[in-house]
């Protein structure tokens, strides 16, 4: 079973333990002292259900066992009332506690399995998308590598001159370092995208994530003669996210947009990525294209798993994107573009770190 959730608002397990003990004490007293011929002990199921949400499996079993022990102890300590009714009530309570614990643990295990499956599917989709872009990335790497060779030869020529031109040779060396760093960054981003790691949220700049993602699709854009533009708002607050996962969402939306315009008969092949502030203190990323649009698309199913309009599509990209965005507290949606094409957008809760100027005037950068 995966690690249980933290108790929101309480901050530690001590208060949870105290609360559960007090609740158990109240139920025990009501079951032992009062003359009510009802199965008061069935209220122990509330303790079991709470513990399932916040404790691991072994501790839940301990809690359920303790509740059953208290039920039996209360039965033997109770001196008033009908013996037969007490036996029936005790049996009902024990069965309720046991069945509740069993079903709750099974449900929690199923949820953990589902989360793991979603993680695996996200990884598969990420690798699949990157596999399609491998050729593009290789082409992208050729550019800085070729530039390094050219500048290296130039530096050798400047140094071999009589007299040697050290100033020009130094500039060539600086260009070599710049292009080497560029190639290294490309490889680092590719490795980060293919790693199967658990989510790790850090404060991140959405604009930087967009720019990093655009680097991966530059060659794809050029090959399909697509005009890819950005309008990135300045002074955006940072967001606390797993940058690799959010980059995957951005990459999915951009690749979908590129495929949409590449497969259309329209002369204009435009894709625009826009960032800005949305309602309720959120950062919004929008990807619009001039492609074939959303005609024939079931808008209420577009983010469902296995729903696709592509002949060779799996129908998982948008579903996984929605799962990632919602797991970060955001939302994702689609709408017809104006005057044509389609627009996909998602939002993320804005944080209070970085350049927080929520009321400032935003100036788009093209």
């Amino acid at each position: 079973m995966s690690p249980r959730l933290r108790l929101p608002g309480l901050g530690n397990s001590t208060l949870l333990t105290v609360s559960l003990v007090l609740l158990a004490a109240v139920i025990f007293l009501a079951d032992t002292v009062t003359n009510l011929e009802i199965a008061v002990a069935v209220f122990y199921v509330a303790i079991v259900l709470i513990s399932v949400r916040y404790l691991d499996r072994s501790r839940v079993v301990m809690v359920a066992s303790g509740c059953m022990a208290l039920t039996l102890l209360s039965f033997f300590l109770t001196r008033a009332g009908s013996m037969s009714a007490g036996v029936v009530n005790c049996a009902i309570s024990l069965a309720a506690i046991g069945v509740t614990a069993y079903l709750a643990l099974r449900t929690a295990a199923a949820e953990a399995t589902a989360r793991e499956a979603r993680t695996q599917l996200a990884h598969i989709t990420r690798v699949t998308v990157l596999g399609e872009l491998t050729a593009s990335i290789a082409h992208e790497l050729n550019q800085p590598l070729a530039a390094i060779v050219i500048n290296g030869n130039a530096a050798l020529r400047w140094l071999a001159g009589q007299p040697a031109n050290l100033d020009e040779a130094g500039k060539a060396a600086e260009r070599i370092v710049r292009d080497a760093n560029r190639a290294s960054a490309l490889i680092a981003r590719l490795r980060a995208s293919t790693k199967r790691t658990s989510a790790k949220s850090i404060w991140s700049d959405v604009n930087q994530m967009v720019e990093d993602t655009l680097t991966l699709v530059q060659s794809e854009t050029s090959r399909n003669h697509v005009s890819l533009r950005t309008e990135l708002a300045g002074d955006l607050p940072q967001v606390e996210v797993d940058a690799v996962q959010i980059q995957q969402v951005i990459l999915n939306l951009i690749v979908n947009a590129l495929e949409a315009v590449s497969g259309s008969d329209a002369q204009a092949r435009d894709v625009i990525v826009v960032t800005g502030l949305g309602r309720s203190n959120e950062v919004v990323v929008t990807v619009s294209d001039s492609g074939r649009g959303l005609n024939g698309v079931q808008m209420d199913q577009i983010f469902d798993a296995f729903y696709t309009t592509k002949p060779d599509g799996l129908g998982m990209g948008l579903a996984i994107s929605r799962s990632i965005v919602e797991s970060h507290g955001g939302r994702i949606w689609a709408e017809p573009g104006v005057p044509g094409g389609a627009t996909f957008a998602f939002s993320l809760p804005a944080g209070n770190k970085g350049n927080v100027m929520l009321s400032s005037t935003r100036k788009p950068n093209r």
Side-chain angles (χ1 to χ4, degrees), residues 170-243:
K171 292 179 181 177
E174 290 176 355
R175 291 193 292 271
I176 291 174
V177 173
R178 179 201 62 192
D179 292 325
N181 289 333
R182 179 183 168 194
S184 177
L186 278 171
I187 295 173
R189 279 195 289 273
L190 179 61
R191 291 181 62 188
S193 299
T194 54
K195 285 181 179 178
R196 185 188 168 196
T197 56
S198 57
K200 182 179 181 181
S201 296
I202 57 174
W203 290 102
S204 305
D205 184 347
V206 169
N207 288 344
Q208 186 62 50
M209 286 189 285
V210 170
E211 291 176 350
D212 289 345
T213 307
L214 293 181
T215 305
L216 297 175
V217 297
Q218 281 183 353
S219 297
E220 191 75 13
T221 303
S222 301
R223 186 166 55 249
N224 291 287
H225 306 290
V226 177
S227 172
L228 177 57
R229 296 186 294 117
T230 59
E231 295 180 2
L232 307 181
D235 298 330
L236 278 180
Q238 293 189 334
V239 291
E240 188 176 17
V241 298
D242 182 283

Side-chain angles (χ1 to χ4, degrees), residues 53 68 99 109 137 157 175 189 194 217 287 294 316 345 350 363:
R53 184 167 179 78
M68 297 176 78
V99 171
I137 295 170
R157 285 196 303 272
R175 291 193 292 271
R189 279 195 289 273
T194 54
V217 297
V287 180
L294 299 175
M316 292 304 301
K363 298 180 180 179

Side-chain angles (χ1 to χ4, degrees), residues 8 18 22 73 186 207 223 231 236 249-250 253 285 294 298 333 345 350 361:
V18 172
L22 289 177
L73 179 61
L186 278 171
N207 288 344
R223 186 166 55 249
E231 295 180 2
L236 278 180
V249 175
I250 299 172
L253 298 185
V285 179
L294 299 175
Q298 299 294 328
W333 66 92
T361 302

Side-chain angles (χ1 to χ4, degrees), residues 34-360:
T34 67
N35 295 328
L36 300 176
E37 293 185 354
I38 58 175
V40 176
V42 294
F43 290 107
Y44 284 124
V45 299
I47 297 176
V48 174
L49 292 175
I50 294 173
S51 64
V52 165
R53 184 167 179 78
Y54 299 110
L55 303 179
D56 58 27
R57 184 184 184 88
S58 59
R59 292 182 180 180
V60 171
V61 172
M62 292 175 60
V63 170
S65 300
C67 292
M68 297 176 78
L70 289 174
T71 302
L72 290 172
L73 179 61
S74 177
F75 171 75
F76 289 112
L77 293 178
T78 301
R79 299 300 181 189
S82 168
M83 175 60 74
S84 59
V87 171
V88 172
N89 290 339
C90 183
I92 292 174
S93 299
L94 292 175
I97 296 169
V99 171
T100 300
Y102 173 75
L103 293 178
L105 287 173
R106 288 289 302 271
T107 301
E111 291 176 350
T113 302
R115 285 194 296 272
E116 178 64 20
R118 284 198 296 271
T119 302
Q120 292 178 354
L121 282 173
H123 175 68
I124 291 172
T125 300
R126 185 188 313 163
V127 172
T128 300
V129 172
L130 288 174
E132 295 173 352
L133 296 172
T134 298
S136 300
I137 295 170
H139 176 72
E140 192 68 26
L141 279 175
N142 277 335
Q143 296 178 359
L145 294 178
I148 289 172
V149 173
I150 293 172
N151 285 301
N153 290 329
L156 291 175
R157 285 196 303 272
W158 290 118
L159 292 174
Q162 295 297 332
N165 191 331
L166 298 179
D167 183 57
E168 291 297 332
K171 292 179 181 177
E174 290 176 355
R175 291 193 292 271
I176 291 174
V177 173
R178 179 201 62 192
D179 292 325
N181 289 333
R182 179 183 168 194
S184 177
L186 278 171
I187 295 173
R189 279 195 289 273
L190 179 61
R191 291 181 62 188
S193 299
T194 54
K195 285 181 179 178
R196 185 188 168 196
T197 56
S198 57
K200 182 179 181 181
S201 296
I202 57 174
W203 290 102
S204 305
D205 184 347
V206 169
N207 288 344
Q208 186 62 50
M209 286 189 285
V210 170
E211 291 176 350
D212 289 345
T213 307
L214 293 181
T215 305
L216 297 175
V217 297
Q218 281 183 353
S219 297
E220 191 75 13
T221 303
S222 301
R223 186 166 55 249
N224 291 287
H225 306 290
V226 177
S227 172
L228 177 57
R229 296 186 294 117
T230 59
E231 295 180 2
L232 307 181
D235 298 330
L236 278 180
Q238 293 189 334
V239 291
E240 188 176 17
V241 298
D242 182 283
V244 174
Q245 289 190 355
I246 297 304
Q247 274 189 292
Q248 181 187 347
V249 175
I250 299 172
L251 183 61
N252 284 344
L253 298 185
I254 293 178
V255 169
N256 286 344
L258 293 176
E259 291 177 350
V261 297
S262 299
S264 70
D265 297 328
Q267 293 184 349
R269 296 188 170 194
D270 297 325
V271 174
I272 305 175
V273 182
V274 180
T275 62
L277 285 174
R279 64 188 186 190
S280 303
N281 191 28
E282 58 188 7
V283 176
V284 178
V285 179
T286 303
V287 180
S288 302
D289 65 73
S290 60
R292 53 181 176 269
L294 299 175
N295 294 331
V297 176
Q298 299 294 328
M299 296 297 291
D300 57 341
Q301 299 178 14
I302 192 170
F303 293 104
D304 290 349
F306 305 114
Y307 178 82
T308 180
T309 58
K310 304 175 185 176
D312 55 348
L314 292 176
M316 292 304 301
L318 290 178
I320 291 174
S321 295
R322 180 175 66 175
S323 177
I324 292 173
V325 171
E326 291 181 350
S327 68
H328 286 80
R331 57 192 178 90
I332 188 170
W333 66 92
E335 56 191 17
V338 178
T343 296
F344 286 80
F346 69 91
S347 66
L348 296 169
N352 54 7
K353 293 185 67 176
N355 299 324
V356 184
M357 298 290 290
L358 299 181
S359 60
S360 63

Side-chain angles (χ1 to χ4, degrees), residues 15-29 44 47:
L15 187 55
L16 171 64
T17 303
V18 172
S19 300
L20 292 180
V21 170
L22 289 177
L23 181 57
V26 171
I27 296 173
F28 178 78
L29 291 175
Y44 284 124
I47 297 176

